[in-house]
Every structure is written in C-alpha cells, then in structure tokens.
Amino acid sequence: MLRNEECWCGSGRKYKKCHLAFDDKLASMKFDFMKGQVRPPKKIIKNAADIEGIRQSGVINDAALDLAGSMVKEGIDTLAINDAVHEFIVSHGAIPACLDYEGYPKSICISLNDVVCHGIPSKKTVLKEGDILNIDITTILNGYYADASRMFIVGKTSPEAERLVQVAKECMEIGIDAVKPWGYVGDIGEAVDKHARANGCSVVTELGGHGVGKSFHEEPFVPHVGKAGTGMLLVPGMVLTVEPMINAGRYKVDVDKKDGWTVRTRDHSLSAQWEKTILITEAGVEIMSS
Ligand code: MF3
Ligand code: CO
Ligand code: CO
C-alpha cells in the first residue's frame, strides 16, 4: 500500500497518516507459532466510524440492561422481562441480536442458578427469592453489535451464591485488566482462571468471549482459561467481549437436549457470568457496553 493511498481500514485518510505506523509495528512482531501466537487479521480491525457505531449501540444496550435489571423482582416471569426489553430496543430503532440468531427463539438470554448461559425467557420461569440470574443482551444499531450481561439477585440469597456472583464479577474485571495493546488473548484466560481457582471456583471452557462489532461473533475466540503470551495478538482497533462463566462446582456443562440452547452445569452447582464489550486502544481499553 502506497503512503498517499487511502488506508485499508476504510477511514478515507491517507495511509501514511493512518495505519502505516501500525502496520510497521505489526510487521516487526515475531510470532511464535509453537505458542499458538496468531497475527490478527485486518478485517477485525475497526476504524473510527465503526468504533463510534459500536459505542452508540452500546448506549442502547446498557440502557436495555438497566431496564431489565429494574424489573427483577420475586414473582415476575422472565418472558415479561424479555418482552419489555424487546420493545425498548425496537423503539430506539435497534434490533435485539439474539432473536432468530441461529434459530434462538427470544430477544435476550436469562439464565437462573445452575443455568450457565443461553437460558430462554419463558412465562413458566418465575423469579423467586434467592435466585441468582444473568441477563445477557446484544443490540444491533445501524449494523453494529454491542454485547453485555450482568448478574442480579432476587431478594436475599445464600452467602455462597452472593460470593459466587462477586467472584464472577472480579473474574471479568481481572480479565479486562489483563488486556493490553500488543498483549495476547491468552493473558485474559490466565488471569481469570487464576482468580477463579484461588476462590475455589471453576471456569467454563466450552464457551468464551469473542470479537464483536460488525457481526455477533467474530474472531478471536476468547477463552477464560489459558496461558499468558499465547493466542491472538491484541492490537488497537480490536473489539471483543470478556464474559467468564464461573461455576461454584466443577467446570463441565451440558446443553439441554430438548430446547438445544439452555446450558447447565453438569453437577447442577450454581453458575455466574458478567460480560462487557471492550475496545482495545493505544492507551489500554475503552468499555463499549457493560
Ligand atoms: N449474548 C451471548 C454472548 O455473549 C450469545 C447469545 S446467542 C443466543 O455471546 F442465541 F443464545 F442468544
Ligand atoms: Co458475548
Ligand atoms: Co452476551
């Protein structure tokens, strides 16, 4: 690419004023394939317009999570929360990404107690005192995706459940703190897994975070276990989720055979998850949805 040509990122700026220095730095990096170090593909690097689009989608997504959270109380069914959030997102000119995603039947995911993720909202699932639940919402605005989830507690729960919710939150925060420009995806998993183990919890390995932005699930896969300095290089302009699923018992999970979606802990121990969409910047990290 010539110095005065338009940059490959689509910014419309001259290459020399845009990603030339970035490309030079990337070209100078030595990738150790034995450690599974991987060069990030150009197609997942966002330009300024993409980033603004994801940021705006995140504003609606965060407000949708606020609304969902405000509805959490004993006696409400999870379909009522789904329907209110659907209405909210659509009324803001956006689309709930989960609806019809690979056949998923509802607009958001609500996962109670031993449900790890992808719980399907239902009239039959009524919140009761002591339940812990994850509400996971993804919004598409002007083609840009923002994905985040939070935990909620119905009334008062057991000290063990409360602690699990707290440890899972810390795991997400520690995972995000491990993200550095020119670091590696594996830095996240090592940090998360260490914290979970130190607290007697386990980390789900079959599902993980993901690149996000122009589609729901992009490269890279973001494991919440692993080894620092391995996996894909993290560079400015990448947008991804950190969303550790933390179990009070063992790490193994099963997908419900009937509905094909609901993921539960195999040992039926409690599970908790928090998720944010983050942008990697030259300086560190910007939260895009939380
Ligand atoms: N929001 C989930 C994630 O964090 C994906 C849900 S897909 C669905 O990646 F189809 F179950 F909604
Ligand atoms: Co996600
Ligand atoms: Co999500």
Side-chain angles (χ1 to χ4, degrees):
M1 159 141 275
L2 297 171
R3 295 172 56 80
N4 285 322
E5 278 181 328
E6 268 190 27
C7 186
W8 52 260
C9 78
S11 64
R13 295 162 69 205
K14 284 187 174 159
Y15 181 49
K16 66 182 177 193
K17 298 244 168 165
C18 198
H19 277 92
L20 174 63
F22 171 95
D23 280 349
D24 283 348
K25 172 142 188 175
L26 198 53
S28 75
M29 302 280 306
K30 292 271 168 288
F31 290 90
D32 185 341
F33 298 105
M34 297 303 286
K35 288 187 183 165
Q37 291 182 342
V38 178
R39 185 186 300 272
K42 280 197 171 81
K43 64 172 183 284
I44 65 167
I45 311 296
K46 275 72 181 177
N47 65 31
D50 297 332
I51 289 164
E52 187 51 29
I54 300 165
R55 201 182 273 129
Q56 290 307 317
S57 184
V59 170
I60 295 177
N61 204 57
D62 292 359
L65 277 164
D66 291 344
L67 169 65
S70 75
M71 295 179 74
V72 169
K73 66 167 194 295
E74 192 176 2
I76 192 170
D77 65 78
T78 58
L79 187 62
I81 301 175
N82 175 88
D83 292 353
V85 169
H86 179 98
E87 205 40 52
F88 178 86
I89 290 174
V90 168
S91 75
H92 285 78
I95 301 165
C98 293
L99 187 59
D100 293 330
Y101 174 75
E102 292 183 3
Y104 186 78
K106 296 294 173 198
S107 299
I108 64 176
C109 298
I110 306 186
S111 305
L112 275 64
N113 302 323
D114 70 333
V115 177
V116 172
C117 62
H118 304 168
I120 302 172
S122 163
K123 191 116 193 100
K124 285 189 258 178
T125 307
V126 176
L127 301 185
K128 59 180 192 306
E129 171 101 6
D131 282 342
I132 62 169
L133 60 145
N134 172 277
I135 303 185
D136 191 338
I137 308 181
T138 306
T139 294
I140 314 169
L141 180 68
N142 301 321
Y144 291 109
Y145 290 68
D147 181 10
S149 78
R150 303 177 193 161
M151 291 298 295
F152 301 94
I153 298 174
V154 183
K156 201 172 158 47
T157 192
S158 67
E160 297 77 41
E162 210 168 290
R163 202 173 135 267
L164 177 68
V165 170
Q166 178 60 26
V167 169
K169 188 172 197 192
E170 290 164 5
C171 282
M172 175 194 61
E173 287 162 350
I174 285 164
I176 292 173
D177 285 345
V179 173
K180 301 277 181 291
W182 311 100
Y184 289 87
V185 167
D187 303 352
I188 301 168
E190 182 172 302
V192 168
D193 193 31
K194 267 189 187 153
H195 189 68
R197 284 168 186 273
N199 287 280
C201 299
S202 68
V203 178
V204 174
T205 58
E206 275 183 53
L207 301 113
H210 49 92
V212 65
K214 300 211 247 191
S215 57
F216 203 156
H217 296 109
E218 300 177 356
E219 282 185 88
F221 176 69
V222 179
H224 299 107
V225 298
K227 200 167 158 26
T230 68
M232 191 179 284
L233 186 73
L234 299 169
V235 298
M238 281 170 71
V239 177
L240 48 85
T241 71
V242 175
E243 50 176 305
M245 284 146 269
I246 307 298
N247 297 348
R250 296 183 56 82
Y251 75 95
K252 285 199 171 141
V253 298
D254 291 303
V255 180
D256 188 292
K257 286 199 183 67
K258 285 197 202 109
D259 69 27
W261 282 103
T262 309
V263 179
R264 289 188 189 81
T265 55
R266 183 164 296 175
D267 63 8
H268 296 291
S269 63
L270 293 174
S271 187
Q273 176 183 28
W274 296 77
E275 173 176 27
K276 292 189 188 196
T277 293
I278 65 172
L279 164 71
I280 297 161
T281 67
E282 295 285 355
V285 157
E286 179 186 327
I287 306 299
M288 307 292 270
S289 185
S290 85

